[in-house]
Amino acid sequence: MTRLIITRHGQSIANAQLRFAGHSDFDLSETGHTQAALVAKYLCENLHIDAIYSSDLVRAMHTAEPHAKLRGLEIQPSRQLRECYVGDWENVSLDEIVEKWPDLFFEGWRKNFGTFRIPGGESVQEAASRFHDEVLRIARENIGKTVLIAAHAAVIRGFWGKITKTPPEELASTYLYPTNASCSFVWYNGEELVPLEYSVDEHLSEIGTIKFKY
């Protein structure tokens, strides 16, 4: 059996500026670096980790970095763990998206997240499937180990809907986005990925959590 810990990256500069990042390569904010240190401390105190994987985007890599330094492990980057590609919304502010695409944002992205396709980008289901397949590959390559994966809000949310068998049209009303630097726990039982806990963020209590507002 393989244990997987999927952490959302700490607050990014794009998060702080209320911008859609997608595949745009924003670093962590100062708060994000603090969150990354706290999640590393929390996991080091409570769990052994054998391997670390990350989206190849810098905000995820820099969230995984404190773990790697504390444990003396290399981070294995993967493009398949990237955030959903948001096409026309890449590096665009929330205010501008609401102004230019109000119906798509409120009726599509917000209310029908699980079935939505970003203009010029991936659908949530495509991104979730890409992410799921990569997590499954990682699990199969690390049988009997505990693995940390650093990734992103939308793909984690879509992935969670997939492994809980939540109908895509019900995803938006069933699961919120994982908080920055939260941990979601999954088992791989040799056949499938089994959900345990979603968006655990108790380790951030000393600085407070930042809810994803998009």
Side-chain angles (χ1 to χ4, degrees):
M1 190 172 288
T2 308
R3 187 174 193 174
L4 303 160
I5 306 157
I6 303 174
T7 184
R8 184 192 169 194
H9 62 77
Q11 185 194 61
S12 68
I13 292 169
N15 293 152
Q17 294 176 349
L18 293 182
R19 290 185 172 275
F20 274 65
H23 287 196
S24 299
D25 212 6
F26 288 90
D27 202 349
L28 297 177
S29 67
E30 183 177 345
T31 296
H33 282 290
T34 300
Q35 292 171 328
L38 286 172
V39 72
K41 178 175 180 288
Y42 165 71
L43 291 176
C44 282
E45 288 175 350
N46 291 281
L47 290 169
H48 172 76
I49 289 177
D50 299 291
I52 300 174
Y53 291 77
S54 175
S55 155
D56 63 352
L57 295 173
V58 69
R59 59 193 185 271
M61 291 287 288
H62 283 178
T63 299
E65 194 172 72
H67 299 269
K69 288 180 177 178
L70 285 170
R71 299 175 188 275
L73 295 171
E74 294 292 324
I75 302 170
Q76 301 181 59
S78 169
R79 185 180 178 89
Q80 298 305 310
L81 296 173
R82 283 188 176 195
E83 179 61 293
C84 185
Y85 175 59
V86 295
D88 296 348
W89 295 1
E90 289 276 325
N91 195 16
V92 179
S93 72
L94 178 60
D95 286 346
E96 186 177 345
I97 289 169
V98 169
E99 180 182 349
K100 289 185 176 180
W101 296 277
D103 290 342
L104 284 177
F105 178 75
F106 289 109
E107 297 299 321
W109 180 256
R110 278 245 178 117
K111 290 186 179 179
N112 295 290
F113 173 82
T115 60
F116 188 61
R117 176 184 293 277
I118 294 99
E122 288 181 288
S123 73
V124 170
Q125 287 302 301
E126 287 169 345
S129 292
R130 158 175 60 79
F131 185 83
H132 173 276
D133 291 349
E134 182 67 352
V135 172
L136 188 58
R137 180 191 71 80
I138 291 168
R140 287 171 173 165
E141 289 185 357
N142 290 276
I143 297 297
K145 297 180 180 179
T146 299
V147 179
L148 175 68
I149 297 172
H152 307 267
V155 286
I156 295 172
R157 189 186 189 193
F159 164 80
W160 205 259
K162 197 171 184 67
I163 65 172
T164 57
K165 299 178 173 54
T166 303
E169 60 274 11
E170 296 177 14
L171 182 57
S173 60
T174 305
Y175 292 105
L176 300 175
Y177 293 100
T179 50
N180 285 113
S182 64
C183 296
S184 298
F185 296 89
V186 179
W187 286 111
Y188 173 62
N189 62 12
E191 296 182 0
E192 62 180 353
L193 297 166
V194 180
L196 294 178
E197 292 184 275
Y198 180 67
S199 192
V200 174
D201 55 18
E202 61 190 32
H203 49 282
L204 303 172
S205 59
E206 65 184 76
I207 62 169
T209 57
I210 300 171
K211 299 300 181 183
F212 198 57
K213 300 176 181 178
Y214 299 4

